[in-house]
Amino acid sequence: MQFGVFSVGDVTPDPTNGRTPTEHERIKAMLTIALKTEEVGLDVFATGEHHNPPFVPSSPTTFLGYVAARTERLILSTATTLITTNDPVKIAEDYAYLQHIADGRVDLMMGRGNTGPVYPWFGKDIRDGIALAIENYALLHKLWREDVVDWEGKFRTPLQSFTATPRPLDGIPPFVWHGSIRSPQIAEQAAYYGDGFFHNNIFWPVEHTKRMIELYRRRYEHYGHGAADQAIVGLGGQVFMRKNSQAAVREFRPYFDNAPVYGHGPSLEDFSRETPLTVGSPQQVIDRTLTFRDHFGDYQRQLFLLDHAGLPLKTVLEQLDMLGEEVVPVLRREFDALRPAHVPDAPTHESLKAARDAAGASA
């Protein structure tokens, strides 16, 4: 099972002192967090993609290329690659290039994003969001697997005898997760291709997340990729920890109350009860995270949001230390002990290459 962190890259005032970091400070902080993620023994760092204030990560490949050069084993991922407003040709080439730089330690999470104005900025119509996601990914999938592509669709100019360069490392495209909070069409798309499905369930109750994952699992089996419980599932979550729960709640409350996404809405207690947000001791985070398997089945990737809502870098690094030292080792042991032998690990470049080579040898 893979454990890691993701960042949405928001630039948010610290509600305890009113100070807002500069964009430069926030970008540098995200780089520090990514490097720390490997240092404490986690597996994945994922960055979002945004093109509007108050967010800074407009160029994930630039960010991840730097992190690739400074790390040795960390899997570099996107928390959202905007498949709707990015050109699939550019995605194909950018991430294949990053794959070579990182020696294969790259995967992507496709998403539509949650910012409506982005669509017209890039010449698209938000009413075409689902159709864009489906058509653009179909082209991207083809570009990574066929050396010469002829293609015509609705949303971009046709391609004739086109070759995306560079080709994917070892002929193995980056593994793709399709991220969606509420769209069954995206769960269907992930199942159709046999890709992963990531539900960033930080804002949603268990019942909704369970329905989406169960749909993906059923359709994954329907398309012949394996049994439903072998489908590749990832989950998001948000935690804030201190040695005791009272201290955690007291420290986190002002950040929660003023967060740009869920601030000034439900109380921290209501939100913690109705969603996977866990504010408490490391043991409470362990206990809560282990319940995810009870609801959603065995899954392959768990990512935590740690640096949202103006939390100081020092505090985020302390959270990472607790994750790496106290939480994730226990979760690894417990999840591994519970997982049946037929349920696969999360795909990596090396595992996909080995599977390809084994299939070729037996053919």
Side-chain angles (χ1 to χ4, degrees):
M1 184 150 169
Q2 295 174 349
F3 293 91
V5 299
F6 70 100
S7 176
V8 297
D10 60 306
V11 180
T12 303
D14 184 332
T16 67
N17 60 25
R19 186 180 183 277
T20 304
T22 66
E23 290 180 326
H24 179 74
E25 289 171 332
R26 187 67 173 102
I27 291 167
K28 289 293 191 177
M30 288 177 63
L31 290 169
T32 300
I33 293 164
L35 300 181
K36 180 79 168 180
T37 300
E38 177 169 278
E39 179 187 320
V40 301
L42 274 61
D43 308 302
V44 184
F45 182 87
T47 175
E49 178 188 348
H50 294 275
H51 299 277
N52 58 292
F55 304 98
V56 292
S58 58
S59 181
T61 50
T62 304
F63 180 94
L64 295 175
Y66 176 90
V67 177
R70 298 285 304 276
T71 55
E72 296 181 356
R73 59 170 191 80
L74 188 68
I75 296 171
L76 313 170
S77 185
T78 55
T80 302
T81 295
L82 297 176
I83 189 64
T84 47
T85 50
N86 281 309
D87 182 0
V89 172
K90 195 72 168 75
I91 295 175
E93 296 192 331
D94 282 354
Y95 286 93
Y97 200 98
L98 178 61
Q99 219 193 2
H100 285 270
I101 291 171
D103 296 322
R105 296 182 288 124
V106 174
D107 58 36
L108 289 86
M109 190 185 306
M110 299 297 168
R112 292 179 291 133
N114 58 7
T115 309
V118 168
Y119 284 81
W121 295 342
F122 289 88
K124 307 298 181 184
D125 187 329
I126 193 172
R127 292 170 293 185
D128 296 325
I130 293 291
L132 280 163
I134 292 169
E135 181 178 294
N136 284 353
Y137 184 66
L139 175 55
L140 175 61
H141 191 270
K142 191 178 184 75
L143 289 165
W144 273 338
R145 288 163 176 83
E146 298 181 17
D147 290 340
V148 180
V149 171
D150 294 297
W151 183 88
E152 185 171 352
K154 178 180 178 181
F155 296 109
R156 77 173 317 280
T157 53
L159 298 173
Q160 295 181 340
S161 301
F162 177 78
T163 299
T165 59
R167 305 305 298 146
L169 178 65
D170 301 317
I172 304 291
F175 184 73
V176 168
W177 304 79
H178 297 260
S180 181
I181 295 175
R182 60 186 178 275
S183 301
Q185 299 96 325
I186 303 303
E188 176 78 14
Q189 182 183 42
Y192 175 80
Y193 288 102
D195 295 337
F197 179 66
F198 189 92
H199 196 282
N200 190 5
N201 59 328
I202 60 174
F203 303 127
W204 290 83
V206 165
E207 293 75 16
H208 171 82
T209 305
K210 185 176 181 179
R211 284 194 298 271
M212 290 285 288
I213 291 173
E214 287 178 347
L215 169 63
Y216 161 67
R217 289 189 184 279
R218 288 195 307 271
R219 301 302 289 172
Y220 183 95
E221 182 171 302
H222 168 80
Y223 287 115
H225 300 298
D229 64 352
Q230 294 176 307
I232 308 300
V233 173
L235 294 174
Q238 184 175 4
V239 299
F240 185 85
M241 295 172 286
R242 288 303 184 205
K243 291 301 180 183
N244 65 72
S245 59
Q246 294 87 353
V249 169
R250 184 169 57 250
E251 184 175 348
F252 187 67
R253 188 181 299 280
Y255 295 97
F256 175 88
D257 288 347
N258 294 280
V261 176
Y262 44 63
H264 310 288
S267 69
L268 174 58
E269 287 74 16
D270 287 344
F271 206 84
S272 298
R273 183 175 59 254
E274 297 297 330
T275 79
L277 173 66
T278 306
V279 180
S281 67
Q283 186 60 52
Q284 286 174 300
V285 170
I286 291 168
D287 294 342
R288 185 77 177 280
T289 306
L290 287 173
T291 67
F292 294 173
R293 180 183 180 274
D294 299 332
H295 298 301
F296 313 124
D298 292 287
Y299 63 110
Q300 284 76 14
R301 175 175 283 188
Q302 174 66 57
L303 300 184
F304 295 103
L305 177 62
L306 301 178
D307 69 336
H308 183 50
L311 285 165
L313 176 60
K314 177 178 179 293
T315 301
V316 176
L317 298 180
E318 291 167 352
Q319 298 295 303
L320 270 168
D321 280 330
M322 283 185 277
L323 267 184
E325 295 170 9
E326 302 180 54
V327 174
V328 167
V330 178
L331 291 176
R332 284 194 203 281
R333 184 172 65 249
E334 294 294 329
F335 278 123
D336 286 348
L338 293 167
R339 186 179 62 200
H342 71 280
V343 174
D345 294 331
T348 64
H349 182 80
E350 291 305 317
S351 71
L352 293 170
K353 184 173 181 290
R356 192 266 318 265
D357 293 346
S362 63

